[in-house]
Amino acid sequence: MRLAIATAALAAFGLASIGSAAAEYPERPVRVIVPSPAGGSTDVGTRILADAIEAHLGQRWVIENRPGAGLLIGMQALADAEPDGYTLGYTHQPFLTVHIYVNEADFTFDSFEPVALLVDDPNTVAVRVDSPFESLEDLIAAMRERPGEITFGDTGYLSDDHLVTVAIERAFGVEANAVHYDGSAPLRAAVLGGHVDVYVGNVGDTKVTYDEGQFRVLAVATEERIDAFPNTPTFRELGVDLVASSARGVSFPAGTPTAYADRMAEAIAAASQDEDYLRRMAEQGLAVRVLTREEYGAFQAQRMEFVRGLLEALGEL
Amino acid sequence: MQSARAKWGDLVVGGVLILVAWYVIDTASTFRGDGWLTPTALAYLIGAGGVALIGQAILASMRGRTATASTAPSTTATGPTGLDLIAMLLPAVLVLLTIAYVALIPRIGFYLASLAFIPAVLAILGMRRWWVYAVTALGFVAFVHVVFERTFAIPLPRAAWLSGIL
Amino acid sequence: MSDLMVEGLVQVFEWRNLAAVTIGTLLGMMVGALPGLTATMGIALLVPLTFGMPADSGLIMLTAVYGAAVFGGSIPAILLHTPGTPAGAATAIDGYQMTLKGQGGRALGISAVSSATGGMLSALALLLIAPPLATFSLRFGPAEFFWITVFGLTIIASLSHGNLLKALIAGAVGLLIGTIGIDPFTGQRRFTYGLPQLFDGVSIVPALIGLFSFSQAMILAEERWKPRLQGFLRFTWRECIPSVRDYLRLLPLILRSGGLGTFVGMLPGAGGDIASWVAYSEARRYSRKRDQFGTGIPEGVAAPEAANNAVTGGSLIPLLTLGIPGSAAAAVLLGGLLIQGLVPGQRLFIDHGAITYAVIFSFFVANILMLALGLLGAGVFQRVNQVPVSVLIALIVALSVIGSYALQNSLFDVWLLLLFGVLGYAMRKLGFMPAALVLGMILAPIFERGLRQGLSISRGDISYFWASPISQFLIALTVIALVAPLLLERFAPARHRKWRAAKSDD
């Protein structure tokens, strides 16, 4: 195996010319930078896709976990990588925007060549099933009555969940008491234990507890109602234009030949039709949503604006 | 003699702790939000600890006896206790070699760097049998390849100019 | 015993599941014994391997990896003072002392039986009383977590070995290091110097490997001409199997520590590292041999090992009943469950009852296997004393480097390892306990989060922190922990006191 790679690499040095390269791309395994630890939901999802994509790409994906600093380290590693089409990596919204504007990252929006959106996990607002808040209206009314008292748990300062809390405050003109937790597990335990009033999270994590009959989901931040919670209204239905999610897509570093990006996007789109792939992703609670390269680029730009507004409201800009 | 050195050690550590505490308190004063307990109060505690350490050392020397309580406990977990500077020579060389090792990894890849590092350590520690060098270095590289790269699929650093072979 | 339970029990003994449990146990022990590869990491990297396996075999293998990795961490901790996982650090203190006294085999044997007993105790809790326990664990909010960490800090006193001041300083410095990184409530970057690698704080694993393993390599390097390790020269295979008398004498302690570990395992955010320290400290606090802790006594190995293996079953309790993982490793196991189409929750025991019970029963099999392999392996592991010291040093350092790197594919973590290695060496030379520093680093983030969350929820009203009965109980426990040693000393039998006085003279 190693010998085969060595031979291929030598052949690439000696023979391949730039012109014919695009047709043969990829000639060796592609490194995929996952900016979160091995075993997390992004990592597992990537490994499921890696399983499915080999048949469509003709090469393996080699996963490299570069966790830390709220995805910043992994996205920085991607921005710094050689733009030769052999390093792909995650670009995550809203974290990409947060790092560009708040954490003085060395990359910008233009440091990446968008390839495809893979998973779009919408934000949800839920309460414990015996909570007095029967609907979002109840919750907002209570917040008007007791400003700053209702506690909203999220998975970290400036996480996508926290930004939803900020968006709700802004949209309804109310004040919440944001309490930050270290991930979804401790947060769900805190809500179920009655230590925090409201859970702000994503569909994937919420569904487990909802199916168990422990959560009442008050609203989802999607354009239309979703299958996971058919009886739950969207924020749009409630008169507020709030669409937010943890949006995980992949990009190349800027400067990668567009032909390579097209080829990779094509392989991802093909793999995303695999029934086996879709079934496994659904079991993980990961909502697959594939966008084309152009759509993904536009999507990112639109989310950047949205998040920027929220950061401004928080006084972070 | 040894405990006298240890006492000087305590004085230096106490001084360092006070400096650290001062630096932390000074820096934390620019933090937004409430940093009064962590880290500021902690830093005061550490500063107080530094003062107490110095006080203990001075008191012990004034009492004219070796500060037994403040030297390392006689447990052998710490190896030969006290500050024996000659004994620290080889550990220092080991640290320097490791620094070179880590610096080499991104340049020549993990495998080549290990093949250089392990024999170097054996050499400074006086290993005489040549086959031990070969078995240790090659055995380590083979083990790491099988366990880390094959079983667990963790990609290890490789040198770019070796076209990713090693 | 319900039909589903019987079905699950039968399923465990299918050959493919027995094969899965054996492979899992072997892989787990190896993962645990290597520095850097933690139980969490081992499971995470093996989850993709289970994609193509039948659901029961895959999950049985992953849970076996979990338990065996936690046990495996104790082997190098005992023989070389280089714990393979953070959960094995507490074992290094008395375990290595036993090795130096020529009792390394005995320590390995006690570690194996304590780990297996603790693991099985937690599996029993998982099997019989998981739902009420899980519901109880939900009552732990920010205030309760805050008091747990305060209670945890009292452990520092039990690590002092005669110099309380230095132990307290080391603990405080550990807490300070633990506050490096982005403030979880304000986003303020504290002492990060523009390095994104420090935003989440100083990584515990490289720091721990540095403080324990790298510093140990440095200490071993001091005596160049010593060809073999001193101490455990006479060390036979027979010694590794603890006598029935030894076991029965330690059993109450093992069960107590196991119960403690089961409970700590259930709390999200607190895992094997904390459980083993708490158990070590509690064992010492209420032991008549208080002063012998740290000098190499079996109790100092039995308590942390029983506790950290009990965490494995404990952390599955909220995972299987509520879908909330009780530890980082359990969170990774959740991915393994979901990939097999098993959604955790009460209905798991009904919809997928046979598989679920098979996994729980396989816990017992895995622990028995781990015990057998641990005792048999002890005979092999002891051969480490045949290896020249120079080879050991080279391998400890090289494995520490690769282990620190592999955890996050980060060279930065390797530099951290070196920094903490030198710090650990200096601390040991100057009489500071690295263990106290590690404890501070582990507790600081939980302490800080509990405090900030509590103050945020109560909007600054500090009475929130003693409002609940659990908080009051934890406060009482902390006060007792601080006062009890003084009282015990006061009312100790005269003979004991005299022996103590003679002992504390050194």
Side-chain angles (χ1 to χ4, degrees):
Chain A
M1 183 60 206
R2 192 141 308 285
L3 195 69
I5 295 174
T7 324
L10 286 176
F13 263 110
L15 305 173
S17 65
I18 308 284
S20 67
E24 292 153 20
Y25 172 84
E27 298 169 309
R28 52 189 164 95
V30 177
R31 180 171 70 132
V32 181
I33 297 178
V34 174
S36 47
S41 79
T42 304
D43 175 70
V44 175
T46 315
R47 287 176 199 267
I48 295 173
L49 181 56
D51 235 19
I53 206 165
E54 202 175 335
H56 303 281
L57 190 65
Q59 283 291 350
R60 285 185 307 132
W61 272 12
V62 178
I63 289 161
E64 187 173 319
N65 298 93
R66 298 291 292 273
L71 314 185
L72 173 55
I73 288 174
M75 294 198 283
Q76 185 73 61
L78 176 65
D80 295 343
E82 205 60 43
D84 58 3
Y86 291 97
T87 303
L88 187 70
Y90 273 85
T91 34
H92 181 287
Q93 288 289 2
F95 281 103
L96 185 68
T97 315
V98 169
H99 289 313
I100 289 173
Y101 288 113
V102 180
N103 286 328
E104 296 152 16
D106 285 335
F107 51 76
T108 67
F109 187 55
D110 297 325
S111 306
F112 304 99
E113 177 74 40
V115 174
L117 180 67
L118 301 176
V119 168
D120 193 27
D121 200 356
N123 286 110
T124 57
V125 174
V127 291
R128 200 163 76 164
V129 76
D130 59 356
S131 155
F133 309 126
E134 296 281 347
S135 64
L136 193 71
E137 284 93 341
D138 285 355
L139 177 61
I140 301 296
M143 290 172 82
R144 292 229 161 84
E145 220 166 276
R146 298 181 279 146
E149 278 188 35
I150 313 281
T151 45
F152 275 57
D154 58 53
T155 57
Y157 186 76
L158 298 188
S159 64
D160 54 320
D161 315 322
H162 179 214
L163 292 174
V164 167
T165 305
V166 177
I168 291 173
E169 288 182 315
R170 232 171 44 139
F172 292 96
V174 290
E175 198 190 323
N177 182 357
V179 183
H180 311 300
Y181 278 80
D182 188 17
S184 170
L187 171 58
R188 272 178 294 150
V191 176
L192 291 183
H195 306 286
V196 171
D197 299 318
V198 182
Y199 168 89
V200 188
N202 302 92
V203 172
D205 298 319
T206 315
K207 197 169 170 356
V208 179
T209 317
Y210 169 82
D211 288 344
E212 186 62 10
Q214 308 252 32
F215 264 177
R216 178 188 301 136
V217 185
L218 299 184
V220 289
T222 48
E223 275 140 22
E224 279 158 22
R225 291 196 179 202
I226 56 171
D227 297 339
F229 314 121
N231 301 321
T232 303
T234 64
F235 277 100
R236 282 197 175 166
E237 287 176 57
L238 300 164
V240 173
D241 188 26
L242 172 53
V243 176
S245 63
S246 161
R248 307 163 192 172
V250 285
S251 301
F252 277 125
T256 306
T258 49
Y260 292 1
D262 288 338
R263 172 80 188 91
M264 187 58 80
E266 184 194 316
I268 290 172
S272 304
Q273 305 290 325
D274 270 20
E275 266 177 40
D276 208 36
Y277 167 69
L278 292 173
R279 181 183 52 79
R280 282 182 173 172
M281 293 295 274
E283 277 166 0
Q284 289 286 318
L286 293 169
V288 174
R289 181 178 173 200
V290 179
L291 294 180
T292 63
R293 288 198 341 101
E294 291 69 33
E295 285 168 345
Y296 181 45
F299 173 87
Q300 288 244 57
Q302 178 254 323
R303 279 293 160 90
M304 287 270 286
E305 267 323 293
F306 168 70
V307 174
R308 233 186 90 95
L310 296 177
L311 292 175
E312 231 157 15
L314 258 177
E316 281 286 355
L317 290 189
Chain B
M1 184 63 197
Q2 257 198 15
S3 42
R5 276 225 192 90
K7 203 166 61 202
W8 279 109
D10 280 0
L11 288 176
V12 172
V13 172
V16 169
L17 288 173
I18 292 168
L19 283 178
V20 167
W22 175 75
Y23 168 74
V24 169
I25 293 164
D26 188 54
T27 313
S29 65
T30 64
F31 289 175
R32 63 177 169 182
D34 40 13
W36 58 269
L37 186 63
T38 49
T40 305
L42 254 179
Y44 276 110
L45 244 160
I46 289 168
V51 172
L53 203 60
I54 292 174
Q56 202 183 45
I58 292 173
L59 268 180
S61 69
M62 272 175 30
R63 278 206 304 259
R65 50 175 206 134
T66 52
T68 35
S70 63
T71 52
S74 58
T75 52
T76 23
T78 53
T81 51
L83 302 174
D84 180 350
L85 293 179
I86 295 163
M88 288 181 192
L89 188 66
L90 277 176
V93 175
L94 181 68
V95 170
L96 291 178
L97 275 181
T98 313
I99 291 173
Y101 177 38
V102 181
L104 274 178
I105 287 175
R107 289 174 180 79
I108 62 172
F110 180 78
Y111 292 114
L112 283 184
S114 302
L115 287 178
F117 171 73
I118 289 175
V121 172
L122 294 180
I124 63 147
L125 293 172
M127 171 52 66
R128 291 215 187 85
R129 282 157 293 173
W130 67 269
W131 59 267
V132 175
Y133 285 78
V135 169
T136 311
L138 293 174
F140 174 78
V141 165
F143 175 79
V144 166
H145 179 71
V146 170
V147 172
F148 285 80
E149 291 213 290
R150 288 299 164 99
T151 313
F152 293 112
I154 302 170
L156 296 177
R158 283 155 199 279
W161 52 271
L162 288 169
S163 35
I165 300 165
L166 268 174
Chain C
M1 209 163 175
S2 74
D3 291 352
L4 286 172
M5 275 191 188
V6 177
E7 207 179 313
L9 189 58
V10 172
Q11 218 165 319
V12 175
F13 292 98
E14 280 174 34
W15 68 267
R16 61 184 164 90
N17 289 340
L18 288 177
V21 95
T22 312
I23 294 170
T25 307
L26 283 170
L27 277 175
M29 279 172 67
M30 191 181 71
V31 161
L34 289 172
L37 285 182
T38 58
T40 314
M41 187 76 174
I43 300 167
L45 295 170
L46 289 173
V47 164
L49 278 186
T50 65
F51 283 179
M53 292 165 80
D56 50 351
S57 306
L59 292 172
I60 284 171
M61 187 179 89
L62 294 179
T63 48
V65 168
Y66 188 10
V70 172
F71 163 65
S74 74
I75 298 167
I78 289 169
L79 291 176
L80 296 167
H81 195 269
T82 59
T85 64
T91 312
I93 298 178
D94 274 85
Y96 185 61
Q97 288 302 321
M98 285 182 76
T99 295
L100 291 180
K101 288 201 291 189
Q103 300 177 2
R106 189 165 168 232
L108 285 175
I110 284 165
S111 163
V113 292
S114 309
S115 296
T117 314
M120 284 197 269
L121 182 78
S122 70
L124 209 62
L126 175 62
L127 183 66
L128 299 177
I129 47 170
L133 275 179
T135 313
F136 179 67
S137 77
L138 290 179
R139 293 173 56 184
F140 278 68
E144 288 80 6
F145 272 102
F146 173 78
W147 288 115
I148 285 184
T149 55
V150 172
F151 176 64
L153 287 173
T154 65
I155 298 169
I156 288 172
S158 66
L159 297 173
S160 65
H161 293 283
N163 195 326
L164 190 60
L165 177 62
K166 286 189 174 180
L168 290 176
I169 289 173
V173 171
L175 283 169
L176 184 69
I177 295 173
T179 62
I180 290 174
I182 293 185
D183 183 311
F185 267 69
T186 62
Q188 169 74 45
R189 290 187 290 275
R190 300 177 297 190
F191 310 105
T192 55
Y193 309 102
L195 296 166
Q197 291 92 337
L198 289 177
F199 283 7
D200 291 339
V202 175
S203 318
I204 292 280
V205 175
L208 180 94
I209 301 176
L211 288 169
F212 279 79
S213 306
F214 195 88
S215 73
Q216 180 68 9
M218 288 174 73
I219 280 172
L220 288 176
E222 282 179 350
E223 290 170 63
R224 178 181 175 180
W225 301 114
K226 190 179 61 188
R228 297 277 189 274
L229 289 177
Q230 60 178 19
F232 50 105
L233 288 172
R234 28 165 225 92
F235 181 111
T236 60
W237 187 76
R238 276 188 63 82
E239 249 178 77
C240 305
I241 297 172
S243 68
V244 177
R245 237 184 86 210
D246 246 9
Y247 182 64
L248 288 181
R249 190 173 56 79
L250 291 171
L251 194 60
L253 175 69
I254 292 174
L255 293 178
R256 195 149 44 96
S257 309
L260 219 146
T262 308
F263 192 75
V264 173
M266 284 164 38
L267 302 174
D273 43 1
I274 291 179
S276 57
W277 286 116
V278 173
Y280 179 81
S281 160
E282 285 314 280
R284 181 182 185 272
R285 182 138 41 222
Y286 300 107
S287 167
R288 244 180 288 156
K289 295 201 259 175
R290 205 155 50 250
D291 307 277
Q292 287 165 273
F293 272 82
T295 64
I297 58 171
E299 284 84 347
V301 172
E305 281 307 304
N308 65 26
N309 267 86
V311 164
T312 60
S315 68
L316 294 190
I317 290 174
L319 174 68
L320 293 184
T321 54
L322 299 167
I324 295 169
S327 68
V332 176
L333 266 178
L334 175 62
L337 280 172
L338 291 173
I339 211 121
Q340 302 288 0
L342 273 64
V343 180
Q346 282 302 320
R347 275 174 34 216
L348 181 70
F349 290 82
I350 299 158
D351 296 352
H352 298 280
I355 292 180
T356 310
Y357 284 116
V359 171
I360 297 175
F361 282 121
S362 81
F363 237 94
F364 292 94
V365 181
N367 275 293
I368 292 166
L369 199 65
M370 188 177 93
L371 174 64
L373 287 172
L375 291 180
L376 280 174
V380 182
F381 305 141
Q382 61 163 310
R383 297 296 159 109
V384 75
N385 70 356
Q386 313 277 317
V387 178
V389 174
S390 53
V391 171
L392 279 180
I393 292 169
L395 291 180
I396 290 174
V397 174
L399 281 173
S400 299
V401 166
I402 172 85
S404 307
Y405 174 82
L407 202 71
Q408 307 196 26
N409 292 314
S410 159
L411 272 175
F412 183 85
D413 283 355
V414 183
W415 292 114
L416 269 185
L417 155 88
L418 250 165
L419 193 70
F420 276 90
V422 174
L423 178 68
Y425 181 74
M427 285 177 76
R428 286 165 82 170
K429 288 287 128 182
L430 293 163
F432 290 87
M433 288 294 279
L437 187 95
V438 169
L439 195 69
M441 280 181 69
I442 292 173
L443 292 176
I446 308 173
F447 171 86
E448 190 173 40
R449 226 171 240 282
L451 180 72
R452 296 291 193 79
Q453 284 169 344
L455 287 174
S456 175
I457 289 171
S458 67
R459 310 223 288 164
D461 176 8
I462 51 170
S463 70
Y464 174 85
F465 284 93
W466 52 82
S468 86
I470 300 177
S471 293
Q472 290 156 8
F473 174 74
L474 289 169
I475 295 169
L477 219 55
T478 308
V479 172
I480 292 170
L482 292 174
V483 177
L486 303 175
L487 292 181
L488 284 173
E489 184 142 344
R490 177 115 200 171
F491 299 110
R495 187 163 46 88
H496 184 211
R497 204 159 51 214
K498 211 163 119 194
W499 177 83
R500 245 181 92 101
K503 181 81 186 157
S504 61
D505 226 28
D506 63 16

